[in-house]
Amino acid sequence: MGKELQNKPLVKHIYTADPSAHYFNGKIYIYPSHDIPHECEDNDNGDQYSMEDYHVLCMDSVDSPAVDCGEVLHEKNVPWVSHQMWAPDCAYKNGKYYLYFPAKDKNGIFHIGVAVSDKPDRDFVPEESYIADSYSIDPAVFVDDDGRAYMYHGGLWGGQLEKWQTGSFVAGDPDMIPGADGPQGDEVALGPLVAELNDDMISLKAPAQHIAILDENGEPLKAGDEKRRFFEACWMHKYNGKYYLSYSTGTTCYICYAISDSPMGPFTYTGRILEPVIGWTTHHSTVEVDGKWYLFYHDSSLSGGINSQRSVKFCELHHNEDGTIRTINPYDN
């Protein structure tokens, strides 16, 4: 098949987004969110993203069609969740698979939950409560070569990240209440959060801290630098001993990346991985399969541009000899 499946929707019978791709046991498993029809208003809080369950997709190889393994978790089976189960991730350690997911609690506040299974594609059992001291959205869990695991997460606007600047959740109109709005203009941008996980993979070793993303002069990126600063959808991969933090810029719709010698940072902004797609923005992951790297992402081409009806795609990703990543235009033939 060659590249026949690349840059095309992996499945068409449901809408899928926010793919976290992993290579487990000789197969590619993709953990997406599941877009469903809704009557919610489209707004900056993301009310239109009313997802309530998770499916797992599986590919025998990059040349094999994706198979929907079915629903593996639903909000009705998670005691603390009220609604909006957004972008998930999965990690393997201790002979178990850990499905990490953001959702709103009964008070409408996002936290990160965990469900555990012996298998990568079914039988996930959720923990009774969310991870203590977790908040915001878009968890991505990276297990390093030494076995230490780190959870990266956070998202602005509907992801509520800026509402935690005081150390606790600040609700209300950001124009009226101090601490409810994020940095602006030349103020230092909020970075994503990182926290090391305990060996149990369901609790944090220490409170999460913001990651510093620096420019070429070693200065923190500013909030007004919307072409480079972090917005949401962080991901971590390691290549030639370096740590690559990639993320969405949200408002400008790029997938960018920054490099560090440490999984905790600081990271230096390096470039773009993906140019804008059809739809408001995208959410991605990277995975190595048989010595080659691939980028999984989503767009809204299948739905004709409806932002809340998205489809997962993938394409090959190339690291250059100097360690930089070749920028991808998703619609190049």
Side-chain angles (χ1 to χ4, degrees):
M1 287 188 181
K3 294 187 176 182
E4 292 179 11
L5 298 177
Q6 296 192 36
N7 293 314
K8 296 178 176 62
L10 288 186
V11 296
K12 297 182 179 180
H13 65 292
I14 59 174
Y15 288 112
T16 54
D18 312 317
S20 292
H22 293 276
Y23 193 55
F24 294 141
N25 304 322
K27 293 185 178 182
I28 305 163
Y29 292 91
I30 304 102
Y31 301 86
S33 56
H34 176 201
D35 285 341
I36 59 175
H38 66 87
E39 297 181 358
C40 300
E41 174 191 5
D42 282 20
N43 56 40
D44 290 343
N45 287 326
D47 291 341
Q48 63 271 29
Y49 302 113
S50 55
M51 301 89 103
E52 62 186 34
D53 66 356
Y54 297 113
H55 288 232
V56 175
L57 308 180
C58 179
M59 303 171 69
D60 287 336
S61 73
V62 293
D63 295 325
S64 302
V67 174
D68 181 359
C69 301
E71 181 185 284
V72 299
L73 189 66
H74 194 282
E75 66 182 19
K76 66 185 178 183
N77 300 124
V78 188
W80 62 271
V81 168
S82 64
H83 64 299
Q84 287 188 308
M85 296 175 77
W86 286 8
D89 190 22
C90 189
Y92 176 77
K93 190 177 176 179
N94 307 327
K96 302 281 187 181
Y97 296 90
Y98 299 86
L99 180 67
Y100 298 88
F101 59 93
K104 286 183 176 176
D105 67 9
K106 307 302 183 183
N107 296 313
I109 299 175
F110 270 114
H111 296 283
I112 309 297
V114 190
V116 187
S117 176
D118 293 325
K119 304 175 182 66
D121 58 355
R122 59 190 184 277
D123 301 336
F124 283 95
V125 178
E127 296 293 305
E128 288 294 315
S129 187
Y130 52 79
I131 297 174
D133 299 320
S134 71
Y135 56 92
S136 200
I137 61 169
D138 294 353
V141 174
F142 170 75
V143 181
D144 206 348
D145 301 330
D146 59 6
R148 297 171 70 178
Y150 303 86
M151 183 172 74
Y152 301 84
H153 55 298
L156 301 178
W157 295 7
Q160 302 178 343
L161 181 60
E162 59 268 61
K163 300 206 178 277
W164 288 90
Q165 294 175 89
T166 64
S168 59
F169 186 81
V170 178
D173 185 345
D175 294 328
M176 303 293 292
I177 301 176
D181 198 8
Q184 305 290 325
D186 289 334
E187 297 177 308
V188 174
L190 287 177
L193 297 164
V194 62
E196 186 173 354
L197 289 159
N198 284 312
D199 288 339
D200 63 10
M201 295 293 282
I202 60 173
S203 63
L204 304 182
K205 187 170 289 188
Q209 62 187 57
H210 285 277
I211 295 173
I213 304 177
L214 311 177
D215 65 15
E216 63 278 9
N217 299 314
E219 296 295 323
L221 294 182
K222 305 302 190 290
D225 188 355
E226 296 187 28
K227 291 184 178 181
R228 298 192 296 176
R229 64 90 176 90
F230 165 80
F231 186 90
E232 63 184 2
C234 49
W235 184 260
M236 176 61 62
H237 79 273
K238 192 173 184 179
Y239 179 78
N240 281 352
K242 300 288 186 179
Y243 297 89
Y244 287 68
L245 175 73
S246 47
Y247 55 90
S248 170
T249 59
T251 51
T252 49
C253 303
Y254 299 121
I255 296 295
C256 293
Y257 70 105
I259 299 176
S260 176
D261 292 321
S262 166
M264 305 286 285
F267 287 81
T268 299
Y269 177 88
T270 308
R272 294 179 193 163
I273 294 178
L274 186 67
E275 299 287 1
V277 301
I278 294 169
W280 184 68
T281 185
T282 192
H283 186 133
H284 71 295
S285 60
T286 61
V287 63
E288 184 179 17
V289 180
D290 297 332
K292 292 185 177 181
W293 285 87
Y294 297 89
L295 177 78
F296 284 73
Y297 65 98
H298 70 242
D299 75 3
S300 299
S301 58
L302 184 63
S303 65
I306 299 174
N307 291 337
S308 58
Q309 295 180 8
R310 300 161 293 178
S311 299
V312 168
K313 299 180 172 182
F314 81 102
C315 62
E316 192 168 347
L317 179 146
H318 298 275
H319 296 84
N320 298 314
E321 289 187 6
D322 63 359
T324 59
I325 295 174
R326 190 184 308 171
T327 303
I328 297 167
N329 184 325
Y331 306 110
D332 279 348
N333 294 323

